[in-house]
Amino acid sequence: MQVSVIIVNYNVKHFLEQCLCSVRQALALTDGEIIVVDNDSSDKSLEYLEPRFPDVQFIANNENLGFAKACNQGLSKARGRYILFLNPDTIIPEDCLQQCILFIEQHPDAGAVGVKMLDGSGYFLKESKRAFPSPMTSLYKLSGLSKLFPRSATFSRYHLGHLDENKSNEVDVLAGAFMMIRKEVLDKTGSFDETFFMYGEDVDLSYRIQKSGYKNYYFAGSSILHFKGESTRKGSMNYVRMFYNAMSIFVKKHYGGSRAGLFNLLIHLAIWFRAGLTAIGNFVRRIGLPLIDAGLIFLSFWVVKTLWSQYIRSDIQYENRLLWVAFPAFTAFYLITAYYAGLYDRWYKRSELVRSSVIATLVLLAGYALLPEQYRFSRAIVLFGALLAFALISLLRWILVKTYVLNNGNDKEDYLHTVIAASPEEYAQTMQLLKDAGLHKRVLGRLATHKADETGIGYWMDLKQVLNVIPFREIIFCSGTLSYKEIITVINSLPEGIVAKLHASGSSSIVSSDSKDTSGESVSKENGYKLADPYNKRLKRLIDISFSLFGLLSFPIQLFLVKKPGRFFQNCMKVLAAQKTWIGYAVSEKNLPQLRTAVIGNNGVNVATTYSFSAESLQMMDYWYARDYEPSTDLKLLWKSYRKQG
């Protein structure tokens, strides 16, 4: 057998589905096998994938053993002359395995080979070729000199920036995302060191391969896509800790004396530096941002009041006692409105800031008219204060987006413009998948895969010309009629700002990744749950809180209206404490959007009640509830089941 492809999976079943489809095509040209080791994924990866890929050998672990140990598990079952360690979030072209094996056989000194990796937008991933870490190399990278001099053999040595990415070269380190190694080399050097849980094991193995007298080659003759679908994100504290700890293990293992001491000092400085930046970013995103916004809003109203009373209406004096009540109240109202408009979601969108500002301002102006005369002050202060707050918050968001503290989601609003490069049959299948995911309305049409096909809105190879006529923002490539090699070639030259997605014909998902620094995204039937929408989640929580407060404030009345009022009071407290939700699933189901334990099932029956329905019927009702969720559904069920809330 020529090659054994070993893939370690952890909660990226849709990326792995697409990866396996591409590896299958590559093995049509080369004799080989596929071994998947699942590290106790919670997304039911094996249940999803095993029926779809009966030719793949799956190994299921009962815990997350880490990348190195799982790779070694797969290696123990491998029978190929060559071993390919491959990430599940990759797509390889049909001739990739064949070309890599040919390259190794033409270079007798080659112990391992890596390839040119591209992200989901077609940009070259610098980790495709690297040097071994050293004190000075790390210093140049941490200080930013490598970015200032990206082609320097000295300052940019970490990513070997002086080597042409389009030419094959001998390198030090190959990425574990794609690492093809002779089996006889692994028998001599040993496989991955299981001391490394995640990150650093590829550096260690590359080092040992060189020490054994072999060479590591970067092969530019084949390109693959690396979507970055892994769950550990580069900006997280977990990534910082795991990555730099891995570097520390490597240094202690292979370097000695003062060199190791200096390197470890730099590593720990880097850990503290990156941890500090990460902590600041996390604080701003999770807690600090609403606090900063509150300060800016309050400041805006106070500045406008001061300017208004000094230069416009100097004849009017406003009571500070009134202002210290009104301005904090205005600020709190703006923040609540911003939260429910989605301003503090994962992606920042300018439209959400505009919407929340307009709604809050209009409501405040309307409420102002209802106040008694002695509690009023100029409407202009409310209006201009809101405008100044909008300007300051907009400036703050711009700074945070530019410094990568926040993710910019403004471009995502344009993703309502999608084209699909596919045959008519593949287009119909993809449209059905998008319809199940609730995303079909964004599609503008089909790009023909053959020049003579005039039924499409354009030809898939003429993207720049099509873009001049049709303002699409993303393109879904369907492999089948189109080969993976053709798709990867086109992605490598996509117009600026266009995001590529990939869908294998016959599969049940679509995958993509906007950049090398963000986790990838997948589209499947699971995306079609309205209950998973952050906006609906917020409204559901608002309904829970409002109904609980109503129940507590009117509790004496509930003694006569609700069965078991004592239990009703307990439920109100548990819902307020985010331990329960009033309306939810009748049975527990991991594949649906997560909800707290329900008081009342979506069938209108208390969840503590013994059901007369079958488990299958209840699961289907839960599915419909999650898929078609509307806030009004909860309100209706609360009204109908009012007496059962205890």
Side-chain angles (χ1 to χ4, degrees):
M1 182 175 289
Q2 280 282 78
V3 61
S4 296
V5 182
I6 299 172
I7 305 172
V8 177
N9 174 63
Y10 183 66
N11 290 330
V12 284
K13 63 182 180 184
H14 295 129
F15 284 92
L16 179 53
E17 178 184 23
Q18 299 303 317
C19 175
L20 291 175
C21 288
S22 70
V23 175
R24 260 184 178 175
Q25 294 297 316
L27 286 178
L29 303 177
T30 306
D31 179 35
E33 63 180 352
I34 307 172
I35 301 170
V36 171
V37 184
D38 183 76
N39 264 338
D40 194 29
S41 295
S42 59
D43 65 349
K44 296 191 175 182
S45 290
L46 296 186
E47 184 179 315
Y48 176 80
L49 293 167
E50 282 185 307
R52 291 172 165 81
F53 298 94
D55 53 324
V56 173
Q57 182 179 350
F58 289 94
I59 300 173
N61 288 326
N62 295 323
E63 60 179 310
N64 186 357
L65 300 176
F67 180 78
K69 196 165 188 176
C71 282
N72 292 344
Q73 276 185 290
L75 180 62
S76 67
K77 304 289 185 182
R79 297 172 292 156
R81 292 175 54 232
Y82 299 96
I83 306 298
L84 173 62
F85 296 107
L86 184 69
N87 264 29
D89 50 3
T90 56
I91 301 293
I92 68 174
E94 289 79 1
D95 63 350
C96 179
L97 303 179
Q98 189 181 55
Q99 291 292 327
C100 288
I101 292 173
L102 180 62
F103 181 86
I104 293 177
E105 291 178 344
Q106 290 174 345
H107 295 76
D109 59 349
V113 166
V115 294
K116 181 179 180 181
M117 297 192 297
L118 310 173
D119 70 10
S121 297
Y123 293 106
F124 175 69
L125 291 171
K126 294 186 292 184
E127 59 262 37
S128 301
K129 49 182 178 66
R130 286 176 291 168
F132 289 125
S134 70
M136 294 310 297
T137 299
S138 301
L139 179 62
Y140 296 146
K141 185 176 186 295
L142 291 171
S143 65
L145 287 171
S146 60
K147 288 187 177 181
L148 290 175
F149 305 100
R151 296 295 178 185
S152 169
T154 301
F155 297 124
S156 191
R157 177 162 176 74
Y158 183 80
H159 286 121
L160 301 175
H162 63 290
L163 297 181
D164 189 342
E165 66 194 53
N166 297 311
K167 293 182 180 179
S168 301
N169 278 288
E170 179 188 345
V171 297
D172 288 335
V173 178
L174 300 175
F178 185 105
M179 211 173 180
M180 183 176 282
I181 309 172
R182 298 178 192 266
K183 179 64 164 59
E184 63 189 62
V185 172
L186 289 172
D187 292 337
K188 181 177 179 181
T189 64
S191 185
F192 288 117
D193 184 344
E194 295 179 8
T195 307
F196 298 88
F197 183 82
M198 188 174 181
Y199 305 117
E201 64 284 314
D202 49 0
V203 181
D204 174 73
L205 183 55
S206 296
Y207 187 89
R208 286 187 282 117
I209 289 173
Q210 275 199 5
K211 285 296 182 181
S212 298
Y214 297 95
K215 292 181 179 179
N216 299 313
Y217 280 96
Y218 164 74
F219 176 48
S222 185
S223 299
I224 71 169
L225 296 180
H226 188 193
F227 281 119
K228 298 286 182 177
E230 70 275 4
S231 57
T232 303
R233 293 177 298 159
K234 281 197 171 184
S236 69
M237 284 290 290
N238 193 36
Y239 169 83
V240 173
R241 179 181 58 81
M242 293 176 68
F243 178 79
Y244 286 107
N245 281 344
M247 291 299 98
S248 181
I249 293 171
F250 175 82
V251 170
K252 290 176 181 177
K253 181 177 179 180
H254 296 293
Y255 297 160
S258 59
R259 191 183 186 197
L262 175 60
F263 201 179
N264 265 315
L265 174 63
L266 287 173
I267 286 174
H268 283 93
L269 287 175
I271 290 174
W272 284 106
F273 178 73
R274 287 292 302 273
L277 291 179
T278 302
I280 292 171
N282 288 341
F283 174 78
V284 170
R285 282 189 292 267
R286 297 176 183 176
I287 302 172
L289 199 55
L291 294 178
I292 296 171
D293 286 349
L296 292 176
I297 294 168
F298 185 86
L299 176 66
S300 298
F301 282 118
W302 198 271
V303 167
V304 169
K305 185 275 300 182
T306 302
L307 295 175
W308 189 262
S309 61
Q310 286 185 2
Y311 299 105
I312 308 298
R313 295 298 303 271
S314 56
D315 57 316
I316 298 178
Q317 294 297 319
Y318 300 105
E319 287 189 37
N320 283 338
R321 185 174 57 181
L322 173 61
L323 297 177
W324 280 107
V325 172
F327 288 172
F330 291 174
T331 300
F333 185 74
Y334 268 83
L335 289 179
I336 293 171
T337 306
Y339 171 76
Y340 282 102
L343 190 58
Y344 302 111
D345 285 348
R346 177 186 174 191
W347 297 92
Y348 162 63
K349 295 180 181 179
R350 191 180 302 108
S351 62
E352 292 166 350
L353 176 58
V354 173
R355 182 166 64 246
S356 63
S357 299
V358 170
I359 292 173
T361 303
L362 291 176
V363 171
L364 284 178
L365 288 173
Y368 171 89
L370 301 177
L371 291 175
E373 185 68 31
Q374 64 269 28
Y375 296 121
R376 297 185 193 178
F377 48 86
S378 177
R379 289 185 180 88
I381 295 177
V382 177
L383 179 60
F384 290 115
L387 290 175
L388 179 58
F390 174 79
L392 292 177
I393 293 176
S394 296
L395 177 61
L396 173 66
R397 293 300 191 277
W398 180 82
I399 294 172
L400 295 177
V401 167
K402 291 297 181 182
T403 53
Y404 302 104
V405 174
L406 288 183
N407 296 316
N408 185 11
N410 287 322
D411 292 338
K412 286 186 171 287
E413 296 180 52
D414 298 330
Y415 288 177
L416 298 174
H417 307 301
T418 303
V419 294
I420 302 173
S423 67
E425 295 78 14
E426 292 165 344
Y427 177 76
Q429 182 197 53
T430 308
M431 281 298 293
Q432 183 60 51
L433 176 56
L434 291 173
K435 187 174 182 179
D436 291 339
L439 302 173
H440 58 291
K441 293 181 180 179
R442 65 173 59 179
V443 178
L444 297 175
R446 180 180 69 89
L447 295 179
T449 54
H450 297 289
K451 192 78 171 178
D453 183 358
E454 298 181 354
T455 60
I457 59 174
Y459 179 50
W460 83 290
M461 293 289 284
D462 299 331
L463 292 182
K464 291 184 179 179
Q465 292 91 317
V466 174
L467 192 58
N468 290 331
V469 180
I470 302 171
F472 66 90
R473 295 292 295 158
E474 69 178 13
I475 177 170
I476 300 174
F477 293 99
C478 295
S479 69
T481 304
L482 302 176
S483 71
Y484 286 106
K485 186 171 184 178
E486 289 175 316
I487 292 171
I488 292 172
T489 300
V490 170
I491 288 178
N492 194 20
S493 57
L494 278 178
E496 184 73 25
I498 302 300
V499 172
K501 293 189 174 184
L502 199 139
H503 169 63
S505 181
S507 68
S508 302
S509 59
I510 301 170
V511 297
S512 68
S513 178
D514 290 353
S515 76
K516 64 183 179 64
D517 295 318
T518 58
S519 296
E521 296 179 347
S522 62
V523 173
S524 68
K525 187 177 180 179
E526 295 166 16
N527 295 84
Y529 298 120
K530 288 186 178 180
L531 188 55
D533 188 294
Y535 179 74
N536 282 332
K537 281 187 174 181
R538 286 191 294 272
L539 288 182
K540 181 173 180 60
R541 182 61 182 153
L542 179 62
I543 291 171
D544 279 350
I545 293 172
S546 301
F547 187 77
S548 298
L549 291 175
F550 167 76
L552 292 175
L553 294 174
S554 60
F555 185 68
I557 301 176
Q558 311 308 326
L559 294 172
F560 306 98
L561 298 180
V562 178
K563 297 178 181 179
K564 300 182 180 179
R567 183 66 60 82
F568 175 74
F569 178 77
Q570 291 180 8
N571 286 335
C572 287
M573 298 301 294
K574 288 183 177 180
V575 171
L576 285 176
Q579 295 177 3
K580 285 188 175 184
T581 183
W582 284 112
I583 307 295
Y585 300 137
V587 292
S588 177
E589 179 53 64
K590 289 184 178 180
N591 286 333
L592 297 177
Q594 188 174 359
L595 280 182
R596 300 174 181 89
T597 302
V599 176
I600 299 294
N602 57 78
N603 56 350
V605 179
N606 192 295
V607 293
T609 304
T610 301
Y611 294 112
S612 58
F613 303 102
S614 67
E616 292 77 11
S617 298
L618 293 173
Q619 288 173 350
M620 185 57 65
M621 293 174 72
D622 286 343
Y623 167 74
W624 288 332
Y625 175 73
R627 187 193 67 180
D628 303 324
Y629 177 79
E630 295 288 343
S632 58
T633 303
D634 280 5
L635 294 175
K636 291 176 183 177
L637 286 171
L638 283 171
W639 174 255
K640 290 181 179 179
S641 61
Y642 187 76
R643 290 180 57 80
K644 307 173 188 176
Q645 299 294 347

